Amino acid sequence: MQNISFSSRIKPLPLKELNKVTGSINSNNAVNHPWTLAESRLAKDVYTTSVIDCSACIITDGQEALLMHLDPSKEINHAFSLVLAFLRGKFDLKNPNLQAVLIGSKNTKKSQDIYNKFKTLLSNLNIPFSELKNGKTPTSVAYKSEKDTVYISNQTIDKMLKKNQTVKDTIDQSFAEVRIADCDEIA
């Protein structure tokens, strides 16, 4: 693993608070349907909603972030040679400050295909990444570079936080699999 000179935070929020965060981000920086590579956004602050069987990946260098949200029902999204070429056009892939968060998927063949291709790509590029896999309810996510924080919410997170559960328990109960990279922390 690379030596990252900064640490990203992953912060679960109630739905209402996440709506405030996304409301403060320019709507041009939202990744919206039909969720292909063409809708991806590179900006200081980005967000997307309704990650269900899709895979969303945020790659950041600490200054700005690229958010991709890929729908497994779109065949073009399975062509990861296009994703790699796209990434090469956005970042210096040898930048030691790159890190990522991978979110989403369901236990279907097409959904797992995209998720696993993201994992392989990030591993092959030596980009450390955290995983929040198979959310129990549709997930929304935002990244704000000023605080280098990934904000995440869904109905499960909302309910858990309202019951005053710990942040770690909230994340663990909201996704089937959670893996936090050494360069990240749950806030």
Side-chain angles (χ1 to χ4, degrees):
M1 185 171 295
Q2 303 172 3
N3 291 328
I4 304 295
S5 63
F6 65 96
S7 178
S8 288
R9 298 181 329 148
I10 299 170
K11 184 171 183 156
L13 292 176
L15 291 166
K16 190 174 181 179
E17 285 186 42
L18 186 72
N19 288 338
K20 288 180 185 176
V21 171
T22 59
S24 72
I25 299 173
N26 185 318
S27 62
N28 291 332
N29 296 338
V31 178
N32 295 315
H33 189 266
W35 300 310
T36 67
L37 204 53
E39 288 77 39
S40 299
R41 294 289 179 263
L42 176 66
K44 290 181 76 60
D45 305 327
V46 292
Y47 70 94
T48 194
T49 61
S50 301
V51 178
I52 303 170
D53 61 339
C54 302
S55 292
C57 184
I58 300 170
I59 300 176
T60 182
D61 61 5
Q63 303 300 308
E64 57 186 357
L66 174 65
L67 175 57
M68 297 170 282
H69 180 164
L70 301 182
D71 180 342
S73 70
K74 311 268 190 291
E75 286 305 315
I76 191 74
N77 288 342
H78 294 266
F80 263 63
S81 59
L82 299 176
V83 175
L84 178 58
F86 184 75
L87 288 176
R88 285 185 175 138
K90 302 295 182 188
F91 287 114
D92 169 7
L93 296 178
K94 296 195 185 302
N95 180 342
N97 286 324
L98 292 180
Q99 59 192 74
V101 177
L102 181 58
I103 302 150
S105 84
K106 288 291 179 198
N107 288 326
T108 66
K109 186 176 180 181
K110 283 188 171 191
S111 182
Q112 290 295 303
D113 181 62
I114 290 179
Y115 190 91
N116 290 331
K117 284 179 177 176
F118 264 126
K119 283 180 65 169
T120 299
L121 179 67
L122 293 168
S123 294
N124 289 344
L125 294 172
N126 293 314
I127 298 173
F129 62 98
S130 292
E131 294 181 70
L132 303 171
K133 187 175 182 181
N134 292 12
K136 295 179 180 174
T137 55
T139 299
S140 296
V141 62
Y143 173 84
K144 295 202 70 159
S145 62
E146 182 180 334
K147 294 190 177 190
D148 191 29
T149 299
V150 174
Y151 299 94
I152 189 158
S153 191
N154 58 38
Q155 288 179 343
T156 308
I157 288 172
D158 193 65
K159 287 178 188 175
M160 297 286 291
L161 291 174
K162 285 178 181 173
K163 291 180 179 178
N164 293 319
Q165 297 296 310
T166 68
V167 175
K168 183 180 182 331
D169 285 346
T170 296
I171 290 288
D172 288 343
Q173 293 299 314
S174 300
F175 298 91
E177 294 180 39
V178 175
R179 189 186 64 76
I180 304 301
D182 291 342
C183 58
D184 290 334
E185 63 185 20
I186 296 176

